[in-house]
Amino acid sequence: MKRIAALILLASLSANALAFDPFVVSDIRIDGLSRISAGTVYNYLPVNKGDRLTDADAQRAIRALYQTKFFSDVELDRDGSILVIKVVERPSIAKLTIRGNKDIKTDDLKKGLKQIGLSEGETFDRLAIDNVQQELIRQYYNRGKYNVSVIPHVTRLDRNRVAVDIEIREGMAAKIQEINILGNHAFTDKQIRKDFESGTPNLMSWYSKNDQYSREKLSGDLEKLQSYYMNRGYADFGVDSTQVAIAPDKRSMYIDTSIKEGDIYKVSDVKLLGDLVLPEATLRQLVFIKAGETFNRAAIEDSTKAIKALLANLGYAFAKVTPIPKLDKEKHTVDLTLYVEPGQRVYVRRVIFVGNTRTEDNVLRREMRQLEGSWYSQAAVDRSKIRLQRLGYFKTVKVDKKLVPGTQDQVDVTVKVEEQSAGSVQFGVGYSQYSGIILNASLSQNNLFGTGDSFSVSGSRSTYTTSYGMNYYNPYLTDNGVGIGYNLTYTKTNYGNASSIFANYATSNKAFSTYLGIPISETDGVRVGLGVSSNKINLIPGYSPQMLVDYQNEIGNYTMHSWTGTLGWNHDTRNGYWAPTRGGLISLSTDVALPGSTVQTWKATAQANHYWPIGLGFVLYLNGEVGYGKAYGSNGISDAAYNQLKAATTDHVLVDMRKDFPFWNNFYAGGVSDVRGFQDNTLGPRICVTATATEAKNGLCSDGSYAQPVGGAFKVLGQAELYIPLPFLKDINTARVSWFVDTGNVYKDYQSFSASTLRVSTGVSLHWQAPIGPLIISLAVPLRTQADDSHYEERLQFTFGSQF
C-alpha cells in the first residue's frame, strides 16, 4: 500500500510541476485556500520571495506540501515572475462516531485513533481510515474476537467536511476448548494451571470468562507457569514453544505449550556487590534467600524490592538491584549475585498538584509527608498518597517523579488527582409494618469551598421520631493538624401510643458540643470534647412500662440536664476513604456526664475493624464493637424521699434503681448499619407495661400487650463481610457487592450477657456511588432468633441519595 502511494505521489509531482525556465520569484500567490491559512502554507513551503526557482525546487515544494497531509492536490504555475500555488484542501473531520463496540470503551478507542491522526477537527486522510481498520481488528484479535469486522462509513458534508462513522461488529470471543501442557512430570496439569486466567469451559465460565481467549491473558499465564516452577527450585525451567490453533469457524481455540522442567537447584552462595551505600549487614537483613536453600525466584524478587525500597527512602529514587544467577548445571547449584546500583541521591525541588480544580493547593499540601527541599523518600510519598486518598475528595490519586532537566540530583514530584463529588444531598426512604414510612435527608459538604472543612445539616422523620442536626469541622485549626468541630442537634421522639413496638415514652432533646481533634502520629489521634444537653422525658402511665415510670420518679426530674466530657482515641491505617482494601481502624471513646448533671454516668465504646485483600479481588472485612455504660455517684432523690415513695406504692413492689444506668442513654441494636435483618433499635431487653405482667411466648406479655424494647447498658456487635469482585463492577470506588454475617445484641448490664442469646443474620449488600448519589441495598435473612423476634424482622433495607 505504501509503495503504491509513493508511485502515485511521484506521478503527481511530475504532472503538477509544470516545466518552465528557471526564474526569480518576485511574489507568491496561493489559490484554493478556505480553511487553512496562507501563513501555515508559507511555514511548510521551502521557497521564499527572491529565490531562484528551478524544476527541482518546484518538485521539492510540491512534495513538502503533500507531506503536510492538508491537501489532496497541489499544482505550481507562474504568472510572470509570480509563483502561483493551486491547492485542493482535504476535508476536515466534522464528526467521528463509533458504534457497536462493547468490549473496548469508546473513549479508549478514540484516544488510540487520535494517535494515528483520526479525530474531530483533524484533516481527513483516506489512508488513515485503512490504518484505523487494521489497528482495530488487531486490538480485537488480541482479545480473542476473530470474527470482528470494522466497517468505516464516510459521509461528505458541506464546507469541505466529512462525517466518519466506524461500525464495529465484535462477534463472539473464541472459546478455549483445550489447553495441553507437554513435558510436565513433577506437577500435574491441575497444579500448574491453578492460577491461570485462561481455562476451558466450566460452570463458572459465564462469570470468570476464563474460556475466552486473549493474547494478553495467555502471556500472563505463561509467566505464571514459569514463576510456578522457578519458585520451587527449577532455575533452568523454560517454555520451548507455544502454539495456538483456531478452528475454521474462528470460535474455538486450541493451545499447546511445550515445556522443559529441568532440575531442582540449591543456592550455593549469595553475594552483594556494587555500591552498597549502607553496611552489607544491614542489606543482608533484606535478603530473603540464604545459601543452602532451594532456589526461589519470588524470594529473590522480594529481596530486590526490599533493598530498592530502603534505598528509595534514603533519597536514591532511581536505585537498581539486579539479580545475577550463575547456574552450575553439574552440581545443580546457583551462585546468586545481587548487584546494587543506587544512582544519584536526589532531593525534591517542587511538589506539583494537577487536577484539583475545586480543592485548594494548601489542602493537598498539608497532607503531604514528602516535603520540598528534603531528600526524596518513597515511604513519605506512599504515605502522602494514602492520606490524600483518605480525604474522600478524589476518585484517583497518582504520584510521579521526574528528574529536573539539566540536573542529576533534583526531582519534581507531581501529584495528579481526579476530583469527585465531596458534597451530597441524600434522601433515605424506608418502610416497616410498625414504623410506617421513614424519611431522612441530609446536605453535606466534606470539602467546603475547596478548603477541606466539612459542613452538614440533616433531618429525619418517621411516625415516631423527628431529628435535626448541624455539624461543622475544621481539620486544620492549627498548622500541625489540630482540628475543631461543633455539633448542634435536636431530637424528638414520641412512642406514646399503644400500637408502638418501642418503649412508649416521648423525649425532647437539645444538645450542643464542641470538640478538638489532636493528631499524635501519622495513624493516631485523640479527640477531646465538651457538651451540654437538655432532655425532657415524658412517660405515659398505662402505656409506658411501669419500670421506667418508677425510675423517673426515683430520679425526681422530668428534664435531664447534662454536662458531658468526651475523650477518645483512634488508630487508623485504612488505605482509602470510600472503599478500603487493607488496613483498619481501632477506636476507644468515653463520654462522662460530669458532676452537676441530673444523672452522673459514664459510657465507653470500643471498636476494631480491619480489611484484608485475600487475592483475586476479594477483600475480607471484620468488625467488632463493644459498649458499656454505668452510673456513678449519688443520683436521684434522697433516701428519705425514696422511703416515702416506696410506702406510697401499693400496687407493686418498688425496686431501688437510682444507681442504674438511665434508660434514655441505653445502647440499642438492630438496623441497616448494625445487625441487619432486624428493625432499628429493636434487639435487646424488652419489658412489659405493667409491673406485675410477665413476658410470655412470641413476645407477648401476660396482659396481652407486646413487650417493649428498651435497650441496655451493655452491647456486643460482630460483623464479617466478604467483598466480592464482579466482572461488571470493575471500579470498587464506584460499586461494591458483599456477603455479610452479622451478630450482636444488647443486655441490661455486663452480668446479663449470654452468648446463646446473640442474634445472627446473613445476606448480601450493594454499595453503589450511583449518579443519583450513594445507594445502599441490603437483603438479610436472620439465622439465629428468639420466638418474639419475628415481630421486629426487616429483610430488605435501602437508602439512596444524590450528589453535587
Side-chain angles (χ1 to χ4, degrees), residues 490-732:
Y490 171 74
T491 304
K492 184 178 181 180
T493 64
N494 185 4
Y495 301 115
N497 65 73
S499 64
S500 171
I501 65 170
F502 308 107
N504 289 338
Y505 65 90
T507 66
S508 178
N509 184 49
K510 309 176 190 69
F512 172 78
S513 64
T514 182
Y515 56 93
L516 293 175
I518 306 170
I520 55 178
S521 74
E522 280 298 311
T523 57
D524 295 73
V526 171
R527 175 169 166 154
V528 180
L530 182 65
V532 60
S533 66
S534 174
N535 190 9
K536 186 176 181 181
I537 312 293
N538 291 321
L539 297 170
I540 307 169
Y543 293 111
S544 302
Q546 185 61 46
M547 185 181 296
L548 306 188
V549 176
D550 288 346
Y551 180 81
Q552 186 178 44
N553 290 334
E554 292 176 18
I555 294 301
N557 289 86
Y558 293 100
T559 301
M560 311 300 169
H561 301 286
S562 179
W563 291 90
T564 304
T566 299
L567 178 62
W569 165 81
N570 68 80
H571 174 74
D572 193 349
T573 59
R574 292 172 297 179
N575 68 338
Y577 180 80
W578 292 111
T581 57
R582 65 177 67 247
L585 172 69
I586 301 174
S587 64
L588 301 173
S589 179
T590 302
D591 295 327
V592 180
L594 302 172
S597 301
T598 304
V599 181
Q600 297 171 165
T601 63
W602 59 265
K603 188 176 185 180
T605 57
Q607 179 184 14
N609 59 52
H610 203 89
Y611 295 85
W612 289 274
I614 56 177
L616 301 178
F618 290 88
V619 176
L620 176 64
Y621 168 70
L622 298 180
N623 177 58
E625 298 179 31
V626 62
Y628 187 51
K630 194 172 181 62
Y632 73 93
S634 298
N635 296 316
I637 59 179
S638 65
D639 290 343
Y642 171 75
N643 290 330
Q644 291 179 0
L645 179 62
K646 185 174 182 180
T649 304
T650 59
D651 58 342
H652 64 279
V653 178
L654 186 66
V655 178
D656 190 352
M657 296 179 286
R658 290 175 292 172
K659 293 187 179 298
D660 287 0
F661 194 69
F663 62 86
W664 58 86
N665 276 348
N666 274 343
F667 292 100
Y668 288 88
V672 67
S673 60
D674 204 273
V675 182
R676 285 161 280 196
F678 298 91
Q679 295 183 45
D680 289 351
N681 305 334
T682 57
L683 296 182
R686 299 167 184 147
I687 58 178
C688 299
V689 174
T690 59
T692 56
T694 57
E695 186 176 354
K697 237 178 176 182
N698 300 322
L700 282 170
C701 296
S702 57
D703 61 3
S705 63
Y706 277 100
Q708 300 178 8
V710 293
F714 182 63
K715 176 180 178 178
V716 176
L717 173 67
Q719 296 174 310
E721 204 148 358
L722 181 66
Y723 292 99
I724 304 169
L726 296 177
F728 49 88
L729 295 177
K730 298 294 186 183
D731 185 2
I732 64 172

Side-chain angles (χ1 to χ4, degrees), residues 299-463:
I300 296 172
E301 291 176 348
D302 290 342
S303 302
T304 61
K305 290 177 182 178
I307 295 173
K308 286 171 62 178
L310 178 60
L311 294 176
N313 292 340
L314 299 176
Y316 298 95
F318 303 99
K320 296 180 181 178
V321 180
T322 306
I324 306 173
K326 185 178 180 181
L327 276 62
D328 187 330
K329 295 191 176 182
E330 291 184 0
K331 297 180 179 179
H332 296 156
T333 59
V334 178
D335 187 350
L336 178 63
T337 299
L338 299 179
Y339 192 78
V340 180
E341 299 174 88
Q344 181 71 41
R345 194 180 188 191
V346 300
Y347 66 90
V348 176
R349 184 187 69 163
R350 286 195 301 164
V351 177
I352 304 166
F353 300 104
V354 178
N356 54 315
T357 56
R358 293 193 300 267
T359 308
E360 298 175 0
D361 270 15
N362 70 296
V363 174
L364 283 78
R365 195 170 298 279
R366 67 196 185 191
E367 301 298 331
M368 294 296 297
R369 293 305 176 256
Q370 174 64 70
L371 304 179
E372 294 179 346
S374 64
W375 293 116
Y376 179 88
S377 169
Q378 188 62 51
V381 170
D382 293 342
R383 184 61 192 169
S384 302
K385 181 178 179 180
I386 289 175
R387 290 180 65 91
L388 290 172
Q389 288 173 331
R390 282 171 45 183
L391 289 175
Y393 311 155
F394 311 114
K395 187 175 182 180
T396 59
V397 178
K398 297 180 180 179
V399 183
D400 297 315
K401 60 181 182 293
K402 188 176 182 181
L403 276 172
V404 176
T407 70
Q408 294 296 321
D409 62 348
Q410 298 180 48
V411 294
D412 286 338
V413 173
T414 301
V415 180
K416 186 176 182 180
V417 299
E418 181 184 352
E419 291 185 312
Q420 63 183 2
S421 298
S424 65
V425 179
Q426 294 187 343
F427 301 93
V429 180
Y431 179 82
S432 70
Q433 181 180 356
Y434 305 99
S435 298
I437 295 177
I438 305 169
L439 301 174
N440 61 72
S442 67
L443 185 151
S444 66
Q445 176 55 261
N446 293 328
N447 187 14
L448 190 63
F449 306 123
T451 63
D453 296 357
S454 63
F455 175 79
S456 66
V457 293
S458 61
S460 67
R461 184 178 181 87
S462 69
T463 305

Side-chain angles (χ1 to χ4, degrees), residues 35-101:
R35 178 171 47 84
I36 300 170
S37 67
T40 300
V41 178
Y42 291 141
N43 287 336
Y44 289 100
L45 190 66
V47 178
N48 297 309
K49 293 180 182 179
D51 290 349
R52 188 171 182 272
L53 185 69
T54 65
D55 284 343
D57 294 330
Q59 290 184 8
R60 186 160 54 91
I62 292 174
R63 185 181 299 110
L65 294 180
Y66 267 119
Q67 288 176 347
T68 65
K69 298 184 179 180
F70 294 156
F71 310 109
S72 60
D73 189 36
V74 179
E75 181 180 334
L76 297 189
D77 202 351
R78 61 179 293 186
D79 182 6
S81 61
I82 298 175
L83 174 63
V84 180
I85 303 175
K86 300 177 182 179
V87 298
V88 176
E89 291 183 352
R90 293 184 187 273
S92 64
I93 301 173
K95 187 177 182 181
L96 173 63
T97 57
I98 303 174
R99 54 192 172 93
N101 55 304

Side-chain angles (χ1 to χ4, degrees), residues 17 169 251 324 423 729 786:
R169 298 173 185 173
R251 300 188 66 175
I324 306 173
L729 295 177
Q786 300 292 328

